[in-house]
Every structure is written in structure tokens, then in C-alpha cells.
Amino acid sequence: MQDTSRHPVGRPLSACLTSQVGSHDKWALLRDLTIAAEDFGLGHRPLSVLKALLSFWPERELPGAPGGAIVFPSNRALSERLSGMPESTLRRHLAALTASGIVRRHDSANGKRFARRAGADHLIDAREADIRAEVKALGGADVVYDAVGGDQFDAAFRACNPEARILTIGFASGTVPQIKANHLLVKNLTVMGLYWGGYLKFHPEALTGSLAQLFAWHAEGKLHPHVSHVLPLSRVAEGLELLRSRASTGKVVIEIPG
């Protein structure tokens, strides 16, 4: 007589792979899941996406605790690992994996939402909005802090009010902006550069003193740096991808053993 024992949700016990206790060999788990795919209502394409997801976990063993294996690939990184699968198709297969209960998807914290919680009054998504128009509509800028450069610097520069000040500290976009001196003259603008590391060479006391003050403020509870991700050293490539894809909202910390 065939054993018809079933899991409480109605699936055969052989299909409930994630309910086992202890760690799992991720590739053996994928192989067993492929055999039981019909019980989960999955085809080979969602399983290909699952295989790509598993490849982002650096160890062969998956922890047995629910939620113990968390990876942070962006849709773009996942698409690249799937030989260029369109992101619309990728999202459909991720939805199937989520609906089956095999994976749980948590989108990266929204940067605008985090900024609002931190006290920002007005939020502009630089990837979608016209920065100059948005800032001018708010009354223009009196102070600009820029670490991006490129088109975003140009837009912020054009949104400045007379006598505004611009602090530039880096060029994350990869493009160093070229400033037209006549615009500085006409609007009486001040542009200041700050390379913090440069003080180590010509004024080291300023650098060490400011660091000491920052650590003192942190010890006193006056500063609360935001850490959005903590990863082990074995997943440093994943941490870099979080930064590259702008999926992090704060510091990405890599833990070094010992």
C-alpha cells in the first residue's frame, strides 16, 4: 500500500525540504527539490533562478534555521548570472518561488523612506526626477553637499541661489564636473573642496583630532551611524555589489574573524 502521509499544508512530506532540522547541502537540496518540483508547482525556469540565488551563498551548507541563509543580489546581478534573463521574466520566476514558500523575498530598504525617517523634509529621487526643477520649486539651494559629481552636480549647481555655497567631496558617478567660472561670478557662488585624507599630509593634527572627537561623540551616544548590512569576510563580493547597485542605505560592514 502506498504511503500517503502528507504535510499539514497538503504537500507530500518528501517535498517539504525546508522543514528538516540541521544544515543542508545546497546542491543536494536543489537536486531533491527538482525531483519534487511538481509538488511545488514549479517548472525548470524558476529552479534556474533558485540555482542562481544559491550561487550567491558562499558556503556549500545552508543553515537549518528559518531565515538563516540570506543573500543580497540585485535584480541586475541576478540577471547577469542567468545569462541576461530579462528582469521582467526574473521577477515573475522570483514571484513563483516566493509563492511556493521556498524563498522569502525582502526588497532592500527604500532609501527615500529611510531618509524620511531620519528627518528629511523633502525627498528627490535623482534617478527619476529633474533635480534642478525640483530644488528650484522648493526655493532653490543655499548649501549643496555633493559626493556624486557628474550630471547631478551640474543640476544642483544650476539650482543654487545667489551666494550659495557648494561643498564637493567626491565623484562617485565617475565624472568630474567642469565649473564655469562666469557662473560663479554672476551668482556670487562659493565652491569648496574637501579631501579629508589630504590633511594627513599637510595638517595631520586636524585629521587625528577630528577622528578622536567623532569617537568621543559616538561613545557619548551623540552619533548613531546607520549600518544597513553586516556580512562575513567570505561574502565581501556581495557587499561590494550592494554598494555598486545602490541597494544599501547605510554602511556595509564586513566582519573579519579573530
Side-chain angles (χ1 to χ4, degrees), residues 105-177:
R105 188 176 185 188
H106 299 280
D107 290 332
S108 299
N110 183 282
K112 291 173 66 176
R113 189 164 57 245
F114 174 78
R116 188 181 297 280
R117 288 201 303 266
D121 294 317
H122 302 282
L123 306 173
I124 300 172
D125 189 335
R127 293 169 294 186
E128 300 175 359
D130 182 332
I131 297 175
R132 178 180 180 274
E134 294 273 357
V135 174
K136 293 292 282 185
L138 292 170
D142 294 316
V143 178
V144 173
Y145 168 92
D146 179 70
V148 178
D151 293 339
Q152 294 185 23
F153 175 92
D154 293 339
F157 183 83
R158 294 168 61 211
C160 282
N161 291 325
E163 297 189 326
R165 290 169 292 170
I166 303 172
L167 176 65
T168 178
I169 68 162
F171 314 106
S173 67
T175 301
V176 178

Side-chain angles (χ1 to χ4, degrees), residues 7-80:
H7 185 269
V9 298
R11 291 190 178 125
L13 287 172
S14 61
C16 299
L17 303 172
T18 56
S19 66
Q20 300 173 16
V21 177
S23 61
H24 314 284
D25 181 305
K26 62 182 180 182
W27 302 125
L29 193 63
L30 179 64
R31 183 176 60 250
D32 291 344
L33 182 57
T34 301
I35 296 172
E38 186 177 347
D39 295 314
F40 286 89
L42 297 174
H44 71 280
R45 297 296 294 279
L47 291 175
S48 296
V49 173
L50 179 60
K51 182 178 180 180
L53 279 171
L54 288 171
S55 71
F56 283 94
W57 181 257
E59 310 297 334
R60 188 178 182 92
E61 293 292 315
L62 294 174
I70 303 175
V71 293
F72 301 98
S74 64
N75 281 356
R76 177 179 174 181
L78 199 52
S79 175
E80 290 173 353

Side-chain angles (χ1 to χ4, degrees), residues 148-223:
V148 178
D151 293 339
Q152 294 185 23
F153 175 92
D154 293 339
F157 183 83
R158 294 168 61 211
C160 282
N161 291 325
E163 297 189 326
R165 290 169 292 170
I166 303 172
L167 176 65
T168 178
I169 68 162
F171 314 106
S173 67
T175 301
V176 178
Q178 304 300 308
I179 301 173
K180 294 182 178 180
N182 60 321
H183 290 189
L184 298 177
L185 177 66
V186 171
K187 297 180 75 172
N188 292 320
L189 301 179
T190 300
V191 179
M192 297 172 286
L194 176 63
Y195 172 46
W196 195 40
Y199 281 98
L200 188 61
K201 182 177 181 180
F202 61 83
H203 192 180
E205 295 80 7
L207 183 65
T208 55
S210 60
L211 277 173
Q213 183 65 74
L214 285 172
F215 281 115
W217 282 337
H218 182 266
E220 295 167 7
K222 295 179 179 179
L223 295 179

Side-chain angles (χ1 to χ4, degrees), residues 80-102:
E80 290 173 353
R81 194 154 296 192
L82 287 160
S83 302
M85 176 182 286
E87 290 193 20
S88 57
T89 304
L90 173 62
R91 286 192 291 269
R92 186 170 70 252
H93 295 318
L94 284 171
L97 290 170
T98 302
S100 71
I102 295 171

